[in-house]
């Protein structure tokens, strides 16, 4: 391509660029159910709730159960209103005008200015403020106004009671292991099996981060026979039979690939 054409192309790109709005609306964060991964909670919406689109969460014996951040953000309010309104509540600023509220808490586990991610425990279910029994009062807001709650982009039930199961923080944990081959380097494969291409090796004794685990070709190694394969990078898998993880099967908390 000649220089003249490049110049014309650049001019064209500039012209297109000028048409893009200076501050496009930011996409909503992917909000998740504000409880630890795997838990199921009954969530209720009702027309006489204040504000209208709030969601009240309950489950059996929920007093003191952990409440987690719905999405990554910065805690910008940790407030105790005493025996009125929200009582003890936390607000998280998610950017783009989005925020979430967690009210009637029993106690706090975060402070103002703290950065939180999915699954971070921010407090515990309580019955503080104008509450008549333990529950979590939860809100999503945009520019200060309450909006209809969505989890993973799916609208909550308005109006009524529905069970919501949390996938909050399920995929955020990784495990670690140590390769043990008694000498030779361990072959890294592009997929979870010996039939996949060899894409490298890891040295005996190397520490590896395991992002997820899956089932593949059965391999007999230092730690017996296993079909588990560990993903240690993008397109990089090693046989778990050669990795000391402290667990005979899958590592608790590490997701399936
Ligand atoms: Zn409420």
């Amino acid at each position: 391509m000649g220089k003249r054409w490049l110049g014309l192309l650049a001019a064209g790109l500039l012209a297109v660029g000028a048409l893009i709005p200076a501050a496009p609306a930011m996409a909503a964060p992917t909000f998740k159910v504000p409880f630890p991964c795997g838990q199921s909670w009954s969530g209720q919406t009702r027309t006489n709730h204040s504000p209208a689109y709030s969601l009240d969460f309950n489950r059996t014996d929920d007093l003191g159960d952990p409440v987690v951040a719905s999405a990554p953000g910065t805690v910008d309010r940790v407030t105790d209103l005493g025996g009125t309104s929200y009582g003890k509540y936390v607000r998280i600023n998610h950017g783009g005008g989005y925020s979430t509220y967690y009210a009637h808490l029993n106690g706090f586990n975060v402070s103002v200015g703290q950065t939180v991610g999915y699954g971070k425990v921010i407090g515990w279910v309580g019955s503080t403020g104008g509450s008549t029994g333990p529950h979590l009062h939860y809100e999503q807001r945009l520019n200060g106004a309450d909006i209809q709650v969505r989890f993973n982009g799916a609208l909550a039930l308005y109006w009524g009671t529905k069970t919501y199961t949390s996938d909050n923080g399920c995929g955020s944990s990784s495990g670690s292991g140590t390769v043990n081959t008694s000498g030779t380097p361990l072959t890294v494969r592009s997929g979870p099996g010996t039939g996949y291409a060899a894409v490298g090796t890891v040295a005996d004794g190397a520490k590896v981060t395991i992002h997820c685990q899956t089932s593949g070709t059965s391999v007999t190694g230092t730690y017996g026979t296993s079909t588990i394969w560990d993903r240690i990078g993008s397109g990089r898998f090693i046989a778990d039979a050669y990795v000391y993880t402290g667990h005979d099967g899958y590592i608790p908390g590490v997701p399936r690939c």
Side-chain angles (χ1 to χ4, degrees), residues 180-182 184 186 194 216-229 238-243:
N180 183 356
T181 57
S182 306
T184 50
L186 180 61
T194 49
T217 314
S218 180
V219 171
T220 300
T222 312
Y223 298 106
T225 300
S226 174
T227 59
I228 298 174
W229 285 71
I238 54 176
D240 189 64
Y242 286 104
V243 184

Side-chain angles (χ1 to χ4, degrees), residues 44 46 49-50 54-57 104 135-139:
Q44 183 198 63
R46 54 183 190 274
H49 212 162
S50 178
S54 310
L55 221 158
D56 279 350
F57 280 107
H104 309 309
H135 72 283
L136 176 70
H137 171 100
Y138 172 80
E139 300 174 22

Side-chain angles (χ1 to χ4, degrees), residues 14 25 56 89 186 213 216 233 256:
L14 280 174
D56 279 350
Y89 79 101
L186 180 61
Q213 297 181 297
R256 297 294 88 82

Side-chain angles (χ1 to χ4, degrees), residues 152-174:
N152 293 327
L155 190 63
L157 175 65
Y158 288 94
W159 308 92
T161 301
K162 182 183 158 179
T163 298
Y164 298 88
T165 299
S166 174
D167 67 348
N168 194 334
C170 296
S172 62
S173 53
S174 59

